[in-house]
mmCIF file with all atom_site columns, all heavy atoms in Angstrom:
data_model
loop_
_atom_site.group_PDB
_atom_site.id
_atom_site.type_symbol
_atom_site.label_atom_id
_atom_site.label_alt_id
_atom_site.label_comp_id
_atom_site.label_asym_id
_atom_site.label_entity_id
_atom_site.label_seq_id
_atom_site.pdbx_PDB_ins_code
_atom_site.Cartn_x
_atom_site.Cartn_y
_atom_site.Cartn_z
_atom_site.occupancy
_atom_site.B_iso_or_equiv
_atom_site.pdbx_formal_charge
_atom_site.auth_seq_id
_atom_site.auth_comp_id
_atom_site.auth_asym_id
_atom_site.auth_atom_id
_atom_site.pdbx_PDB_model_num
ATOM 1   N N   . ARG A 1 1  ? 73.257 91.788 7.691  1.00 0.00 ? 75 ARG A N   1
ATOM 2   C CA  . ARG A 1 1  ? 72.391 90.829 8.388  1.00 0.00 ? 75 ARG A CA  1
ATOM 3   C C   . ARG A 1 1  ? 71.178 90.494 7.525  1.00 0.00 ? 75 ARG A C   1
ATOM 4   O O   . ARG A 1 1  ? 70.703 91.304 6.745  1.00 0.00 ? 75 ARG A O   1
ATOM 5   C CB  . ARG A 1 1  ? 71.915 91.389 9.725  1.00 0.00 ? 75 ARG A CB  1
ATOM 6   C CG  . ARG A 1 1  ? 73.029 91.468 10.752 1.00 0.00 ? 75 ARG A CG  1
ATOM 7   C CD  . ARG A 1 1  ? 72.498 91.760 12.130 1.00 0.00 ? 75 ARG A CD  1
ATOM 8   N NE  . ARG A 1 1  ? 71.772 90.640 12.704 1.00 0.00 ? 75 ARG A NE  1
ATOM 9   C CZ  . ARG A 1 1  ? 72.345 89.585 13.271 1.00 0.00 ? 75 ARG A CZ  1
ATOM 10  N NH1 . ARG A 1 1  ? 73.650 89.474 13.310 1.00 0.00 ? 75 ARG A NH1 1
ATOM 11  N NH2 . ARG A 1 1  ? 71.616 88.620 13.795 1.00 0.00 ? 75 ARG A NH2 1
ATOM 12  N N   . VAL A 1 2  ? 70.677 89.291 7.714  1.00 0.00 ? 76 VAL A N   1
ATOM 13  C CA  . VAL A 1 2  ? 69.483 88.825 7.019  1.00 0.00 ? 76 VAL A CA  1
ATOM 14  C C   . VAL A 1 2  ? 68.346 88.849 8.037  1.00 0.00 ? 76 VAL A C   1
ATOM 15  O O   . VAL A 1 2  ? 68.363 88.091 9.012  1.00 0.00 ? 76 VAL A O   1
ATOM 16  C CB  . VAL A 1 2  ? 69.692 87.406 6.454  1.00 0.00 ? 76 VAL A CB  1
ATOM 17  C CG1 . VAL A 1 2  ? 68.418 86.898 5.791  1.00 0.00 ? 76 VAL A CG1 1
ATOM 18  C CG2 . VAL A 1 2  ? 70.860 87.393 5.475  1.00 0.00 ? 76 VAL A CG2 1
ATOM 19  N N   . ASN A 1 3  ? 67.378 89.743 7.835  1.00 0.00 ? 77 ASN A N   1
ATOM 20  C CA  . ASN A 1 3  ? 66.216 89.865 8.715  1.00 0.00 ? 77 ASN A CA  1
ATOM 21  C C   . ASN A 1 3  ? 64.977 89.500 7.919  1.00 0.00 ? 77 ASN A C   1
ATOM 22  O O   . ASN A 1 3  ? 64.792 89.987 6.806  1.00 0.00 ? 77 ASN A O   1
ATOM 23  C CB  . ASN A 1 3  ? 66.067 91.293 9.245  1.00 0.00 ? 77 ASN A CB  1
ATOM 24  C CG  . ASN A 1 3  ? 67.260 91.709 10.070 1.00 0.00 ? 77 ASN A CG  1
ATOM 25  O OD1 . ASN A 1 3  ? 67.688 90.993 10.965 1.00 0.00 ? 77 ASN A OD1 1
ATOM 26  N ND2 . ASN A 1 3  ? 67.815 92.861 9.777  1.00 0.00 ? 77 ASN A ND2 1
ATOM 27  N N   . GLN A 1 4  ? 64.133 88.652 8.500  1.00 0.00 ? 78 GLN A N   1
ATOM 28  C CA  . GLN A 1 4  ? 62.923 88.251 7.794  1.00 0.00 ? 78 GLN A CA  1
ATOM 29  C C   . GLN A 1 4  ? 61.761 88.124 8.772  1.00 0.00 ? 78 GLN A C   1
ATOM 30  O O   . GLN A 1 4  ? 61.912 87.607 9.875  1.00 0.00 ? 78 GLN A O   1
ATOM 31  C CB  . GLN A 1 4  ? 63.140 86.919 7.074  1.00 0.00 ? 78 GLN A CB  1
ATOM 32  C CG  . GLN A 1 4  ? 61.951 86.538 6.222  1.00 0.00 ? 78 GLN A CG  1
ATOM 33  C CD  . GLN A 1 4  ? 62.245 85.381 5.295  1.00 0.00 ? 78 GLN A CD  1
ATOM 34  O OE1 . GLN A 1 4  ? 63.390 85.191 4.870  1.00 0.00 ? 78 GLN A OE1 1
ATOM 35  N NE2 . GLN A 1 4  ? 61.244 84.597 4.983  1.00 0.00 ? 78 GLN A NE2 1
ATOM 36  N N   . LEU A 1 5  ? 60.590 88.598 8.328  1.00 0.00 ? 79 LEU A N   1
ATOM 37  C CA  . LEU A 1 5  ? 59.366 88.530 9.122  1.00 0.00 ? 79 LEU A CA  1
ATOM 38  C C   . LEU A 1 5  ? 58.303 87.825 8.296  1.00 0.00 ? 79 LEU A C   1
ATOM 39  O O   . LEU A 1 5  ? 58.046 88.203 7.154  1.00 0.00 ? 79 LEU A O   1
ATOM 40  C CB  . LEU A 1 5  ? 58.887 89.945 9.492  1.00 0.00 ? 79 LEU A CB  1
ATOM 41  C CG  . LEU A 1 5  ? 57.559 90.048 10.224 1.00 0.00 ? 79 LEU A CG  1
ATOM 42  C CD1 . LEU A 1 5  ? 57.673 89.444 11.626 1.00 0.00 ? 79 LEU A CD1 1
ATOM 43  C CD2 . LEU A 1 5  ? 57.106 91.495 10.300 1.00 0.00 ? 79 LEU A CD2 1
ATOM 44  N N   . ASP A 1 6  ? 57.703 86.787 8.878  1.00 0.00 ? 80 ASP A N   1
ATOM 45  C CA  . ASP A 1 6  ? 56.597 86.076 8.242  1.00 0.00 ? 80 ASP A CA  1
ATOM 46  C C   . ASP A 1 6  ? 55.360 86.276 9.121  1.00 0.00 ? 80 ASP A C   1
ATOM 47  O O   . ASP A 1 6  ? 55.446 86.187 10.346 1.00 0.00 ? 80 ASP A O   1
ATOM 48  C CB  . ASP A 1 6  ? 56.901 84.582 8.109  1.00 0.00 ? 80 ASP A CB  1
ATOM 49  C CG  . ASP A 1 6  ? 58.149 84.308 7.282  1.00 0.00 ? 80 ASP A CG  1
ATOM 50  O OD1 . ASP A 1 6  ? 58.448 85.102 6.373  1.00 0.00 ? 80 ASP A OD1 1
ATOM 51  O OD2 . ASP A 1 6  ? 58.820 83.289 7.542  1.00 0.00 ? 80 ASP A OD2 1
ATOM 52  N N   . LEU A 1 7  ? 54.218 86.533 8.493  1.00 0.00 ? 81 LEU A N   1
ATOM 53  C CA  . LEU A 1 7  ? 52.979 86.787 9.225  1.00 0.00 ? 81 LEU A CA  1
ATOM 54  C C   . LEU A 1 7  ? 51.873 85.854 8.755  1.00 0.00 ? 81 LEU A C   1
ATOM 55  O O   . LEU A 1 7  ? 51.862 85.433 7.595  1.00 0.00 ? 81 LEU A O   1
ATOM 56  C CB  . LEU A 1 7  ? 52.501 88.234 9.008  1.00 0.00 ? 81 LEU A CB  1
ATOM 57  C CG  . LEU A 1 7  ? 53.424 89.349 9.467  1.00 0.00 ? 81 LEU A CG  1
ATOM 58  C CD1 . LEU A 1 7  ? 52.876 90.698 9.006  1.00 0.00 ? 81 LEU A CD1 1
ATOM 59  C CD2 . LEU A 1 7  ? 53.546 89.323 10.981 1.00 0.00 ? 81 LEU A CD2 1
ATOM 60  N N   . ARG A 1 8  ? 50.935 85.576 9.653  1.00 0.00 ? 82 ARG A N   1
ATOM 61  C CA  . ARG A 1 8  ? 49.746 84.798 9.295  1.00 0.00 ? 82 ARG A CA  1
ATOM 62  C C   . ARG A 1 8  ? 48.538 85.414 9.982  1.00 0.00 ? 82 ARG A C   1
ATOM 63  O O   . ARG A 1 8  ? 48.575 85.689 11.181 1.00 0.00 ? 82 ARG A O   1
ATOM 64  C CB  . ARG A 1 8  ? 49.888 83.351 9.719  1.00 0.00 ? 82 ARG A CB  1
ATOM 65  C CG  . ARG A 1 8  ? 48.626 82.562 9.388  1.00 0.00 ? 82 ARG A CG  1
ATOM 66  C CD  . ARG A 1 8  ? 48.779 81.106 9.650  1.00 0.00 ? 82 ARG A CD  1
ATOM 67  N NE  . ARG A 1 8  ? 47.897 80.431 8.710  1.00 0.00 ? 82 ARG A NE  1
ATOM 68  C CZ  . ARG A 1 8  ? 47.799 79.150 8.597  1.00 0.00 ? 82 ARG A CZ  1
ATOM 69  N NH1 . ARG A 1 8  ? 48.543 78.366 9.340  1.00 0.00 ? 82 ARG A NH1 1
ATOM 70  N NH2 . ARG A 1 8  ? 46.969 78.624 7.745  1.00 0.00 ? 82 ARG A NH2 1
ATOM 71  N N   . LEU A 1 9  ? 47.495 85.606 9.209  1.00 0.00 ? 83 LEU A N   1
ATOM 72  C CA  . LEU A 1 9  ? 46.211 86.071 9.716  1.00 0.00 ? 83 LEU A CA  1
ATOM 73  C C   . LEU A 1 9  ? 45.191 85.004 9.353  1.00 0.00 ? 83 LEU A C   1
ATOM 74  O O   . LEU A 1 9  ? 45.081 84.615 8.183  1.00 0.00 ? 83 LEU A O   1
ATOM 75  C CB  . LEU A 1 9  ? 45.825 87.409 9.092  1.00 0.00 ? 83 LEU A CB  1
ATOM 76  C CG  . LEU A 1 9  ? 46.875 88.523 9.189  1.00 0.00 ? 83 LEU A CG  1
ATOM 77  C CD1 . LEU A 1 9  ? 46.486 89.706 8.317  1.00 0.00 ? 83 LEU A CD1 1
ATOM 78  C CD2 . LEU A 1 9  ? 47.045 88.954 10.624 1.00 0.00 ? 83 LEU A CD2 1
ATOM 79  N N   . ALA A 1 10 ? 44.450 84.509 10.349 1.00 0.00 ? 84 ALA A N   1
ATOM 80  C CA  . ALA A 1 10 ? 43.478 83.448 10.104 1.00 0.00 ? 84 ALA A CA  1
ATOM 81  C C   . ALA A 1 10 ? 42.169 83.778 10.803 1.00 0.00 ? 84 ALA A C   1
ATOM 82  O O   . ALA A 1 10 ? 42.159 84.359 11.893 1.00 0.00 ? 84 ALA A O   1
ATOM 83  C CB  . ALA A 1 10 ? 44.023 82.110 10.603 1.00 0.00 ? 84 ALA A CB  1
ATOM 84  N N   . LYS A 1 11 ? 41.076 83.381 10.171 1.00 0.00 ? 85 LYS A N   1
ATOM 85  C CA  . LYS A 1 11 ? 39.735 83.652 10.722 1.00 0.00 ? 85 LYS A CA  1
ATOM 86  C C   . LYS A 1 11 ? 38.906 82.387 10.621 1.00 0.00 ? 85 LYS A C   1
ATOM 87  O O   . LYS A 1 11 ? 38.850 81.744 9.571  1.00 0.00 ? 85 LYS A O   1
ATOM 88  C CB  . LYS A 1 11 ? 39.081 84.787 9.918  1.00 0.00 ? 85 LYS A CB  1
ATOM 89  C CG  . LYS A 1 11 ? 37.619 85.002 10.185 1.00 0.00 ? 85 LYS A CG  1
ATOM 90  C CD  . LYS A 1 11 ? 37.396 85.701 11.508 1.00 0.00 ? 85 LYS A CD  1
ATOM 91  C CE  . LYS A 1 11 ? 35.931 86.060 11.680 1.00 0.00 ? 85 LYS A CE  1
ATOM 92  N NZ  . LYS A 1 11 ? 35.303 85.394 12.780 1.00 0.00 ? 85 LYS A NZ  1
ATOM 93  N N   . ASN A 1 12 ? 38.304 82.011 11.733 1.00 0.00 ? 86 ASN A N   1
ATOM 94  C CA  . ASN A 1 12 ? 37.375 80.878 11.743 1.00 0.00 ? 86 ASN A CA  1
ATOM 95  C C   . ASN A 1 12 ? 35.988 81.356 11.356 1.00 0.00 ? 86 ASN A C   1
ATOM 96  O O   . ASN A 1 12 ? 35.492 82.358 11.882 1.00 0.00 ? 86 ASN A O   1
ATOM 97  C CB  . ASN A 1 12 ? 37.316 80.222 13.126 1.00 0.00 ? 86 ASN A CB  1
ATOM 98  C CG  . ASN A 1 12 ? 38.495 79.314 13.380 1.00 0.00 ? 86 ASN A CG  1
ATOM 99  O OD1 . ASN A 1 12 ? 38.899 78.556 12.500 1.00 0.00 ? 86 ASN A OD1 1
ATOM 100 N ND2 . ASN A 1 12 ? 39.051 79.390 14.578 1.00 0.00 ? 86 ASN A ND2 1
ATOM 101 N N   . VAL A 1 13 ? 35.358 80.642 10.463 1.00 0.00 ? 87 VAL A N   1
ATOM 102 C CA  . VAL A 1 13 ? 33.978 80.928 10.055 1.00 0.00 ? 87 VAL A CA  1
ATOM 103 C C   . VAL A 1 13 ? 33.171 79.666 10.350 1.00 0.00 ? 87 VAL A C   1
ATOM 104 O O   . VAL A 1 13 ? 33.499 78.587 9.856  1.00 0.00 ? 87 VAL A O   1
ATOM 105 C CB  . VAL A 1 13 ? 33.899 81.281 8.544  1.00 0.00 ? 87 VAL A CB  1
ATOM 106 C CG1 . VAL A 1 13 ? 32.468 81.557 8.131  1.00 0.00 ? 87 VAL A CG1 1
ATOM 107 C CG2 . VAL A 1 13 ? 34.806 82.458 8.219  1.00 0.00 ? 87 VAL A CG2 1
ATOM 108 N N   . ARG A 1 14 ? 32.131 79.808 11.174 1.00 0.00 ? 88 ARG A N   1
ATOM 109 C CA  . ARG A 1 14 ? 31.325 78.654 11.567 1.00 0.00 ? 88 ARG A CA  1
ATOM 110 C C   . ARG A 1 14 ? 29.946 78.745 10.924 1.00 0.00 ? 88 ARG A C   1
ATOM 111 O O   . ARG A 1 14 ? 29.346 79.811 10.842 1.00 0.00 ? 88 ARG A O   1
ATOM 112 C CB  . ARG A 1 14 ? 31.176 78.607 13.083 1.00 0.00 ? 88 ARG A CB  1
ATOM 113 C CG  . ARG A 1 14 ? 32.515 78.461 13.795 1.00 0.00 ? 88 ARG A CG  1
ATOM 114 C CD  . ARG A 1 14 ? 32.340 78.470 15.315 1.00 0.00 ? 88 ARG A CD  1
ATOM 115 N NE  . ARG A 1 14 ? 33.608 78.596 16.000 1.00 0.00 ? 88 ARG A NE  1
ATOM 116 C CZ  . ARG A 1 14 ? 34.465 77.598 16.194 1.00 0.00 ? 88 ARG A CZ  1
ATOM 117 N NH1 . ARG A 1 14 ? 34.179 76.406 15.745 1.00 0.00 ? 88 ARG A NH1 1
ATOM 118 N NH2 . ARG A 1 14 ? 35.590 77.794 16.834 1.00 0.00 ? 88 ARG A NH2 1
ATOM 119 N N   . PHE A 1 15 ? 29.465 77.579 10.472 1.00 0.00 ? 89 PHE A N   1
ATOM 120 C CA  . PHE A 1 15 ? 28.128 77.515 9.882  1.00 0.00 ? 89 PHE A CA  1
ATOM 121 C C   . PHE A 1 15 ? 27.601 76.082 9.995  1.00 0.00 ? 89 PHE A C   1
ATOM 122 O O   . PHE A 1 15 ? 28.291 75.132 9.615  1.00 0.00 ? 89 PHE A O   1
ATOM 123 C CB  . PHE A 1 15 ? 28.138 77.976 8.421  1.00 0.00 ? 89 PHE A CB  1
ATOM 124 C CG  . PHE A 1 15 ? 29.139 77.287 7.556  1.00 0.00 ? 89 PHE A CG  1
ATOM 125 C CD1 . PHE A 1 15 ? 28.784 76.162 6.809  1.00 0.00 ? 89 PHE A CD1 1
ATOM 126 C CD2 . PHE A 1 15 ? 30.448 77.730 7.482  1.00 0.00 ? 89 PHE A CD2 1
ATOM 127 C CE1 . PHE A 1 15 ? 29.706 75.517 6.015  1.00 0.00 ? 89 PHE A CE1 1
ATOM 128 C CE2 . PHE A 1 15 ? 31.382 77.089 6.693  1.00 0.00 ? 89 PHE A CE2 1
ATOM 129 C CZ  . PHE A 1 15 ? 31.015 75.972 5.962  1.00 0.00 ? 89 PHE A CZ  1
ATOM 130 N N   . GLY A 1 16 ? 26.434 75.941 10.574 1.00 0.00 ? 90 GLY A N   1
ATOM 131 C CA  . GLY A 1 16 ? 25.772 74.642 10.690 1.00 0.00 ? 90 GLY A CA  1
ATOM 132 C C   . GLY A 1 16 ? 26.614 73.542 11.309 1.00 0.00 ? 90 GLY A C   1
ATOM 133 O O   . GLY A 1 16 ? 26.616 72.423 10.808 1.00 0.00 ? 90 GLY A O   1
ATOM 134 N N   . GLY A 1 17 ? 27.335 73.811 12.378 1.00 0.00 ? 91 GLY A N   1
ATOM 135 C CA  . GLY A 1 17 ? 28.145 72.799 13.038 1.00 0.00 ? 91 GLY A CA  1
ATOM 136 C C   . GLY A 1 17 ? 29.459 72.498 12.325 1.00 0.00 ? 91 GLY A C   1
ATOM 137 O O   . GLY A 1 17 ? 30.217 71.635 12.741 1.00 0.00 ? 91 GLY A O   1
ATOM 138 N N   . LYS A 1 18 ? 29.700 73.176 11.251 1.00 0.00 ? 92 LYS A N   1
ATOM 139 C CA  . LYS A 1 18 ? 30.949 72.990 10.520 1.00 0.00 ? 92 LYS A CA  1
ATOM 140 C C   . LYS A 1 18 ? 31.808 74.242 10.670 1.00 0.00 ? 92 LYS A C   1
ATOM 141 O O   . LYS A 1 18 ? 31.324 75.300 11.042 1.00 0.00 ? 92 LYS A O   1
ATOM 142 C CB  . LYS A 1 18 ? 30.665 72.708 9.050  1.00 0.00 ? 92 LYS A CB  1
ATOM 143 C CG  . LYS A 1 18 ? 29.895 71.407 8.858  1.00 0.00 ? 92 LYS A CG  1
ATOM 144 C CD  . LYS A 1 18 ? 29.528 71.201 7.441  1.00 0.00 ? 92 LYS A CD  1
ATOM 145 C CE  . LYS A 1 18 ? 28.813 69.900 7.193  1.00 0.00 ? 92 LYS A CE  1
ATOM 146 N NZ  . LYS A 1 18 ? 27.783 69.510 8.080  1.00 0.00 ? 92 LYS A NZ  1
ATOM 147 N N   . ARG A 1 19 ? 33.087 74.079 10.385 1.00 0.00 ? 93 ARG A N   1
ATOM 148 C CA  . ARG A 1 19 ? 34.001 75.212 10.550 1.00 0.00 ? 93 ARG A CA  1
ATOM 149 C C   . ARG A 1 19 ? 34.920 75.302 9.343  1.00 0.00 ? 93 ARG A C   1
ATOM 150 O O   . ARG A 1 19 ? 35.402 74.304 8.815  1.00 0.00 ? 93 ARG A O   1
ATOM 151 C CB  . ARG A 1 19 ? 34.822 75.016 11.823 1.00 0.00 ? 93 ARG A CB  1
ATOM 152 C CG  . ARG A 1 19 ? 35.824 76.116 12.101 1.00 0.00 ? 93 ARG A CG  1
ATOM 153 C CD  . ARG A 1 19 ? 36.528 75.888 13.435 1.00 0.00 ? 93 ARG A CD  1
ATOM 154 N NE  . ARG A 1 19 ? 37.272 74.658 13.474 1.00 0.00 ? 93 ARG A NE  1
ATOM 155 C CZ  . ARG A 1 19 ? 38.592 74.556 13.224 1.00 0.00 ? 93 ARG A CZ  1
ATOM 156 N NH1 . ARG A 1 19 ? 39.286 75.615 12.937 1.00 0.00 ? 93 ARG A NH1 1
ATOM 157 N NH2 . ARG A 1 19 ? 39.188 73.392 13.296 1.00 0.00 ? 93 ARG A NH2 1
ATOM 158 N N   . THR A 1 20 ? 35.196 76.537 8.941  1.00 0.00 ? 94 THR A N   1
ATOM 159 C CA  . THR A 1 20 ? 36.161 76.806 7.884  1.00 0.00 ? 94 THR A CA  1
ATOM 160 C C   . THR A 1 20 ? 37.148 77.834 8.409  1.00 0.00 ? 94 THR A C   1
ATOM 161 O O   . THR A 1 20 ? 36.742 78.847 8.975  1.00 0.00 ? 94 THR A O   1
ATOM 162 C CB  . THR A 1 20 ? 35.466 77.366 6.619  1.00 0.00 ? 94 THR A CB  1
ATOM 163 O OG1 . THR A 1 20 ? 34.522 76.405 6.151  1.00 0.00 ? 94 THR A OG1 1
ATOM 164 C CG2 . THR A 1 20 ? 36.477 77.653 5.530  1.00 0.00 ? 94 THR A CG2 1
ATOM 165 N N   . MET A 1 21 ? 38.439 77.534 8.253  1.00 0.00 ? 95 MET A N   1
ATOM 166 C CA  . MET A 1 21 ? 39.461 78.514 8.633  1.00 0.00 ? 95 MET A CA  1
ATOM 167 C C   . MET A 1 21 ? 40.032 79.110 7.352  1.00 0.00 ? 95 MET A C   1
ATOM 168 O O   . MET A 1 21 ? 40.613 78.409 6.525  1.00 0.00 ? 95 MET A O   1
ATOM 169 C CB  . MET A 1 21 ? 40.590 77.885 9.451  1.00 0.00 ? 95 MET A CB  1
ATOM 170 C CG  . MET A 1 21 ? 41.643 78.925 9.860  1.00 0.00 ? 95 MET A CG  1
ATOM 171 S SD  . MET A 1 21 ? 43.073 78.230 10.699 1.00 0.00 ? 95 MET A SD  1
ATOM 172 C CE  . MET A 1 21 ? 42.383 77.945 12.313 1.00 0.00 ? 95 MET A CE  1
ATOM 173 N N   . LEU A 1 22 ? 39.866 80.412 7.210  1.00 0.00 ? 96 LEU A N   1
ATOM 174 C CA  . LEU A 1 22 ? 40.416 81.148 6.077  1.00 0.00 ? 96 LEU A CA  1
ATOM 175 C C   . LEU A 1 22 ? 41.672 81.862 6.565  1.00 0.00 ? 96 LEU A C   1
ATOM 176 O O   . LEU A 1 22 ? 41.660 82.489 7.621  1.00 0.00 ? 96 LEU A O   1
ATOM 177 C CB  . LEU A 1 22 ? 39.403 82.163 5.544  1.00 0.00 ? 96 LEU A CB  1
ATOM 178 C CG  . LEU A 1 22 ? 38.040 81.600 5.135  1.00 0.00 ? 96 LEU A CG  1
ATOM 179 C CD1 . LEU A 1 22 ? 37.076 82.733 4.818  1.00 0.00 ? 96 LEU A CD1 1
ATOM 180 C CD2 . LEU A 1 22 ? 38.188 80.659 3.962  1.00 0.00 ? 96 LEU A CD2 1
ATOM 181 N N   . SER A 1 23 ? 42.751 81.759 5.805  1.00 0.00 ? 97 SER A N   1
ATOM 182 C CA  . SER A 1 23 ? 43.987 82.394 6.260  1.00 0.00 ? 97 SER A CA  1
ATOM 183 C C   . SER A 1 23 ? 44.765 82.975 5.097  1.00 0.00 ? 97 SER A C   1
ATOM 184 O O   . SER A 1 23 ? 44.614 82.564 3.946  1.00 0.00 ? 97 SER A O   1
ATOM 185 C CB  . SER A 1 23 ? 44.855 81.397 7.031  1.00 0.00 ? 97 SER A CB  1
ATOM 186 O OG  . SER A 1 23 ? 45.245 80.338 6.197  1.00 0.00 ? 97 SER A OG  1
ATOM 187 N N   . VAL A 1 24 ? 45.579 83.947 5.450  1.00 0.00 ? 98 VAL A N   1
ATOM 188 C CA  . VAL A 1 24 ? 46.518 84.536 4.505  1.00 0.00 ? 98 VAL A CA  1
ATOM 189 C C   . VAL A 1 24 ? 47.889 84.546 5.184  1.00 0.00 ? 98 VAL A C   1
ATOM 190 O O   . VAL A 1 24 ? 48.020 84.932 6.343  1.00 0.00 ? 98 VAL A O   1
ATOM 191 C CB  . VAL A 1 24 ? 46.086 85.949 4.048  1.00 0.00 ? 98 VAL A CB  1
ATOM 192 C CG1 . VAL A 1 24 ? 45.982 86.912 5.222  1.00 0.00 ? 98 VAL A CG1 1
ATOM 193 C CG2 . VAL A 1 24 ? 47.023 86.501 2.999  1.00 0.00 ? 98 VAL A CG2 1
#
């Protein structure tokens, strides 16, 4: 059998009314 797991971790960083999403 072919078993595969994909993961994503993301974090929102807010500063001065703007937003940045950093992810791996």
Side-chain angles (χ1 to χ4, degrees):
R75 289 191 71 80
V76 177
N77 298 310
Q78 186 169 331
L79 175 67
D80 301 329
L81 299 172
R82 178 174 209 177
L83 307 169
K85 169 76 173 116
N86 281 317
V87 179
R88 299 178 191 281
F89 53 94
K92 297 175 178 45
R93 179 176 61 96
T94 300
M95 181 185 283
L96 304 172
S97 63
V98 60

